[in-house]
Amino acid sequence: MSRLDGKRALVTGGTRGIGRGIAEGLAAAGATVGVNHPPGEAAAADAVVESIERDGGDAVAFEADVSDADDVSEMIDAFESMLGPIDVLVNNAGILTQSPLAEMPVEMWDETMAVDLRGVFLTTRFALPGMLEAGNGSIVNVASQLGLEGGEELVHYSAAKGGVIAMTRALAREVAPTVRVNAIAPGPVRTELLDDISEEWRDAKEAELPMDRLGTVNDVVPTAVFLASDESSYYTGQTLSPDGGDVMH
């Protein structure tokens, strides 16, 4: 029996990078996975679903802009109608841009907060009632080590991810013991998201890391599978950090 047999999981931002890796990892562990994608990325979501199915797993694509309340509400309703109550929610969808705060367009700040923090709230808000009614659930929020230590020219992203970590701790207290809420704070990981950050920043960060390399998606996925599974049944309100030693806490 696999670790997540019979579980139903929804992964936001599941078409690429860490989100895709987690979706595939949960499916390999036995979960039926909903792969969320924003408007315009249906083909990418279908590719993830096909990849999971080729490996013998079950997956369904769900479209929603996680910053839009109506979109998210409709996605949760569609998931529950098609697959049943959500057992595992992975809030992964996020964007990453770079700018000194003194030059940052207000729109850049607002967009980051809308996707990286509001999106976590909205998806959790609409998924949580079903979890509470079912009497169980695991929420895994993908934050960042920058939510713990901050980063130059990434004040907006750091603030949003710090908010995700604070929300994780507060909600964990609110819904325990019925639903567990934990976060993952990865270090810099080689994905498309990091392509929007300057090479100089990436090189400087790599040089700082005790493990002497940037992370990979495969460095993060096992933590998500662990937090989704009953193996972590005594974990809640925690932030686990596959970050190469960037933040030691």
Side-chain angles (χ1 to χ4, degrees):
M1 182 175 180
S2 298
R3 300 161 77 184
L4 296 174
D5 277 355
K7 299 290 188 182
R8 296 168 292 265
L10 175 63
V11 180
T12 68
T15 61
R16 64 187 69 190
I18 290 174
R20 176 170 184 162
I22 290 174
E24 293 175 341
L26 295 177
T32 298
V33 180
V35 180
N36 159 256
H37 66 90
E41 292 195 13
D46 289 342
V48 178
V49 169
E50 291 168 7
S51 172
I52 289 171
E53 291 177 341
R54 279 197 305 271
D55 289 336
D58 295 313
V60 181
F62 292 95
E63 179 177 307
D65 173 355
V66 297
S67 69
D68 184 284
D70 290 338
D71 264 19
V72 174
S73 177
E74 291 171 6
M75 174 179 66
I76 300 300
D77 286 346
F79 184 105
E80 292 177 341
S81 295
M82 184 180 301
L83 302 176
I86 296 171
D87 299 299
V88 178
L89 171 63
V90 180
N91 285 306
N92 167 78
I95 58 173
L96 176 63
T97 53
Q98 185 175 18
S99 173
L101 186 66
E103 302 169 10
M104 185 180 296
V106 172
E107 294 79 11
M108 180 182 288
W109 174 278
D110 289 345
E111 184 181 21
T112 299
M113 292 298 163
V115 177
D116 292 7
L117 185 55
R118 174 181 166 88
V120 175
F121 159 69
L122 287 175
T123 311
T124 303
R125 164 63 184 83
F126 291 112
L128 188 58
M131 290 181 161
L132 293 172
E133 183 177 352
N136 69 85
S138 175
I139 298 172
V140 181
N141 296 323
V142 179
S144 167
Q145 99 283 9
L146 295 178
L148 296 167
E149 68 171 358
E152 294 179 13
E153 299 189 358
L154 294 167
V155 173
H156 52 332
Y157 184 78
S158 301
K161 293 301 187 178
V164 169
I165 292 169
M167 177 182 168
T168 297
R169 292 170 177 162
L171 184 61
R173 294 184 182 279
E174 184 174 311
V175 297
T178 307
V179 176
R180 296 182 297 107
V181 189
N182 293 287
I184 304 174
V189 174
R190 292 190 180 277
T191 67
E192 297 92 332
L193 200 63
L194 212 60
D195 291 344
D196 292 330
I197 301 301
S198 69
E199 185 176 352
E200 291 77 14
W201 192 96
R202 295 196 302 269
D203 289 345
K205 175 54 68 175
E206 187 169 30
E208 293 175 2
L209 293 171
M211 296 305 291
D212 200 31
R213 67 174 177 85
L214 299 182
T216 68
V217 170
N218 288 335
D219 291 319
V220 180
V221 171
T223 305
V225 175
F226 168 69
L227 290 175
S229 75
D230 292 340
E231 293 171 11
S232 60
S233 62
Y234 204 51
Y235 284 71
T236 198
Q238 303 304 308
T239 299
L240 303 187
S241 303
D243 65 5
D246 196 17
V247 180
M248 299 185 183
H249 61 97

